[in-house]
């Protein structure tokens, strides 16, 4: 009579294991698809298409209108003269209204890749976190320190809207992005 309880239990465990394997395979395929996506990264003075998997913390990126943001990025400059940009966060919070983000005051006037290439600054940021609306850090350039706030951070998965382009620097990438935590 031990078979009457072992066989159903083994069947349930086998079905659960098969279901988990299918879900893992689905996540694996989605990860590969995501990592093959490309964005513009500054390399040797020019922006070149680079896969999301090859992006690293500290890379300078150019995000153009209607493009999905590949990593958590600190907004350095915007095509808007006031340094503003607009992002749609529907992938993060389900809200379709646009959120206003702002570039850092010291860098908002950067117009060309060459200015990015020569930019010398230190960025201190909090450890990776899953808090979508909280962020603290410091941007230090030529002895000047500016506090960083959530409005300076463009999160992975958002889309740039109503802004021709922004320049930014990657703060968190991969599993350390807010959307992945």
């Amino acid at each position: 009579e031990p078979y009457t309880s072992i066989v159903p239990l083994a069947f349930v465990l086998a079905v659960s294991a098969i279901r988990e394997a299918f879900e893992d395979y689905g996540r694996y395929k989605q990860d590969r698809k995501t990592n093959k996506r490309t964005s513009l990264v500054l390399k040797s003075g020019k922006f070149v298409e680079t896969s999301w998997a090859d992006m690293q913390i500290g890379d300078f990126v150019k995000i153009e209108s209607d493009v999905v943001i590949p990593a958590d990025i600190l907004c350095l400059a915007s095509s808007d003269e006031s340094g503003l940009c607009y992002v749609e966060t529907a992938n993060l919070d389900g809200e379709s209204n646009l959120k206003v983000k702002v570039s850092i005051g010291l860098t908002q006037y950067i117009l060309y890749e060459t200015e990015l290439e020569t930019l010398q600054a230190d960025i201190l940021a909090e450890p990776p976190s899953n808090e979508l609306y909280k962020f603290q850090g410091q941007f230090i350039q030529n002895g000047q320190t500016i506090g960083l706030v959530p409005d300076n951070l463009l999160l992975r998965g958002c889309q740039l809207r109503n802004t021709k382009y922004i320049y930014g620097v990657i703060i968190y990438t991969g599993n350390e992005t807010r959307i992945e935590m």
Side-chain angles (χ1 to χ4, degrees):
E1 293 199 26
Y3 295 114
T4 58
S5 57
I6 292 176
V7 171
L9 178 62
F11 177 74
V12 168
L13 290 174
V15 168
S16 293
I18 291 170
R19 185 184 56 127
E20 290 287 328
F22 275 113
E23 289 175 0
D24 286 348
Y25 182 68
R27 280 191 294 272
Y28 166 77
K29 282 178 37 178
Q30 184 61 38
D31 285 348
R32 286 186 52 123
K33 182 179 174 183
T34 298
N35 286 334
K36 287 182 180 182
R37 294 176 85 168
T38 62
S39 287
L40 297 171
V41 174
L42 187 65
K43 295 185 186 240
S44 302
K46 295 191 188 303
F47 282 103
V48 295
E49 291 285 335
T50 304
S51 73
W52 286 16
D54 293 332
M55 292 182 179
Q56 298 178 354
I57 294 171
D59 282 348
F60 291 111
V61 294
K62 181 179 184 179
I63 307 296
E64 296 175 330
S65 187
D66 300 324
V67 170
V68 175
I69 296 169
D72 291 351
I73 295 171
L74 185 63
C75 185
L76 297 175
S78 168
S79 59
D80 182 88
E81 289 177 7
S82 61
L84 299 178
C85 67
Y86 303 90
V87 294
E88 182 181 298
T89 60
N91 288 347
L92 296 178
D93 57 16
E95 294 182 24
S96 59
N97 57 325
L98 299 180
K99 301 214 176 27
V100 178
K101 299 292 184 171
V102 63
S103 56
I104 300 170
L106 291 175
T107 60
Q108 76 182 29
Y109 302 106
I110 292 175
L111 299 175
Y112 306 105
E113 300 84 85
T114 53
E115 293 174 272
L116 279 177
E117 224 178 18
T118 59
L119 179 66
Q120 294 290 317
D122 291 318
I123 299 170
L124 304 175
E126 65 186 20
S129 158
N130 64 354
E131 297 283 339
L132 294 179
Y133 303 108
K134 292 183 181 177
F135 175 72
Q136 290 183 336
Q138 293 180 331
F139 184 87
I140 305 162
Q141 183 183 29
N142 299 327
Q144 288 184 289
T145 300
I146 291 184
L148 301 176
V149 296
D151 286 343
N152 301 129
L153 192 65
L154 307 178
L155 301 177
R156 177 181 174 170
C158 295
Q159 265 188 305
L160 188 66
R161 299 281 191 201
N162 298 345
T163 308
K164 190 174 177 183
Y165 66 86
I166 64 101
Y167 292 135
V169 62
I170 295 177
I171 300 293
Y172 308 110
T173 188
N175 293 333
E176 294 182 346
T177 59
R178 303 277 204 247
I179 196 171
E180 293 290 326
M181 295 204 78

